[in-house]
Amino acid sequence: MPRLDAAKTQPESKVEHQAPPGQFISDEHEADCCRFLEEVKEFVRRRHEAGLGRER
């Protein structure tokens, strides 16, 4: 599994927000999915910065 490289990631303020891939039954579901993905990315970024990434 590829690891995140902190040097290659950009702060969230510089990243363009894109619609998630796929087809959604409503705009509300698409917005929920997009928000969920952004929250997961933020969670992973914070864990990485705190040194809590996966050890192999």
Side-chain angles (χ1 to χ4, degrees), residues 19-39:
Q23 297 178 356
F24 295 87
I25 59 172
S26 72
D27 291 340
E28 182 181 356
H29 286 133
E30 183 176 357
D32 289 346
C33 182
C34 188
R35 185 175 61 250
F36 170 77
L37 292 173
E38 291 302 319
E39 289 174 2

Side-chain angles (χ1 to χ4, degrees), residues 9-17 34-35 37-43 45-46 49:
T9 59
Q10 297 177 351
E12 190 170 323
S13 61
K14 293 183 180 180
V15 176
E16 273 188 42
H17 295 285
C34 188
R35 185 175 61 250
L37 292 173
E38 291 302 319
E39 289 174 2
V40 169
K41 289 175 187 177
E42 178 67 14
F43 176 77
R45 184 187 65 77
R46 287 182 181 197
E49 288 176 353

